[in-house]
Amino acid sequence: MRGNLTSCSADFADLLRAVSAVPGIERIRFTTSHPKDLSDRLIEAMRDLPNVCEHIHLAVQSGDDEVLRRMNRKYTSSHFRERVAALRKAVPDIAITTDFLVGFPGETDEQFENTMRLAEEVRFDAAFMFAYNVIPNTAAEKLDGQLTKKVKNARLARLIEVQNRITCEINKSQVGNVYEVLVEGVSSKDKNRVTGLTRQNKTVNFKGDAGLVGKLVNVQATEGHLYGYVGELV
């Protein structure tokens, strides 16, 4: 029966449907999905289930296929791009966040530039970005081509600059939109303001009081910033 986990072959899309059917659940958000596991059925569930939020964290790590192979990621950059396109077609207002890891052993200048190109092309809403550091007793520790800290940090700085620009551009372009916000608490800086999250997992700060905490309210974005929005209660 659809929506019930009655079979050993049930997948994550079935789990979403089952959780969605539980009375009283207004928002469902899952933390991450490996790109190789982002099936058409999962995308369809995100499209069809009204309480599944329009946000997904899809860690790409690198935009270069050879680096991805050495990372044992089990997908290519073209597959990742195709999955993102399918997501955006099914859920047009989805926010997509990611992880980047630069400076993996053996990463060449050209391979790093492939990551930069992917960031510019895909235009993620936000990203967690890191420079590779050796972790003892891992397969990567034994790989040839370990890069210097100076090279890794320089690449990371370039990527952060590009991604932060893209994030600000996206959020500023969405000023004027009205978002459903789950109010999480009173601002630590101003007791007359509250903060909450949109369904796209973006932070909104707006005038309000503690009586709004825990409630779903509509807020219009009036300013776009790196962290999210300033808004006004509608």
Side-chain angles (χ1 to χ4, degrees):
M1 181 177 177
R2 200 172 186 86
N4 291 326
L5 298 179
T6 58
S7 169
C8 290
S9 63
D11 61 10
F12 189 69
D14 292 317
L15 176 61
L16 281 184
R17 293 186 184 277
V19 174
S20 177
V22 176
I25 294 181
E26 298 186 65
R27 283 190 176 188
I28 300 171
R29 191 191 309 282
F30 54 98
T31 302
T32 190
S33 177
H34 195 291
K36 70 180 178 61
D37 298 324
L38 186 60
S39 66
D40 288 340
R41 294 192 72 247
L42 179 52
I43 293 174
E44 289 165 3
M46 295 186 70
R47 177 196 66 197
D48 296 342
L49 301 174
N51 46 7
V52 173
C53 290
E54 294 82 10
H55 168 247
I56 190 169
H57 187 81
L58 202 61
V60 65
Q61 304 294 4
S62 173
D64 184 83
D65 289 348
E66 174 58 22
V67 173
L68 290 172
R69 186 192 66 77
R70 293 202 303 273
M71 288 180 172
N72 197 30
R73 293 292 290 175
K74 308 296 185 183
Y75 57 84
T76 63
S77 59
S78 60
H79 173 77
F80 187 91
R81 285 177 168 92
E82 184 277 326
R83 291 289 80 189
V84 167
L87 270 169
R88 287 176 168 161
K89 181 178 180 180
V91 189
D93 55 346
I94 194 167
I96 303 175
T97 55
T98 196
D99 294 340
F100 283 113
L101 180 66
V102 303
F104 194 75
E107 182 187 69
T108 65
D109 289 341
E110 181 180 356
Q111 289 169 339
F112 170 69
E113 293 301 333
N114 286 336
T115 295
M116 294 290 286
R117 277 190 284 273
L118 183 138
E120 291 275 17
E121 292 171 15
V122 174
R123 291 180 65 83
F124 297 99
D125 288 76
F128 295 101
M129 296 165 278
F130 308 92
Y132 170 78
N133 286 312
V134 174
I135 299 176
N137 302 315
T138 61
E141 179 190 19
K142 301 176 179 64
L143 292 176
D144 294 332
Q146 301 286 338
L147 303 179
T148 66
K149 184 176 181 179
K150 181 178 179 180
V151 168
K152 291 186 288 187
N153 287 346
R155 291 178 181 178
L156 179 61
R158 282 188 59 201
L159 181 60
I160 289 173
E161 182 179 9
V162 166
Q163 180 56 55
N164 285 355
R165 169 179 57 78
I166 291 170
T167 296
C168 288
E169 289 172 352
I170 291 173
N171 290 346
K172 288 178 180 178
S173 75
Q174 294 168 342
V175 167
N177 291 355
V178 175
Y179 294 102
E180 178 192 87
V181 174
L182 175 59
V183 183
E184 295 199 326
V186 176
S187 170
S188 59
K189 298 180 180 180
D190 186 345
K191 66 179 181 180
N192 296 313
R193 303 184 71 83
V194 292
T195 184
L197 292 174
T198 69
R199 290 174 59 90
Q200 289 77 14
N201 205 38
K202 296 189 181 185
T203 299
V204 187
N205 295 317
F206 59 99
K207 287 184 179 179
D209 56 39
L212 294 175
V213 175
K215 294 182 179 179
L216 292 170
V217 297
N218 289 324
V219 179
Q220 184 176 43
T222 58
E223 297 177 22
H225 299 277
L226 181 62
Y227 68 82
Y229 313 105
V230 172
E232 293 179 353
L233 192 63
V234 176

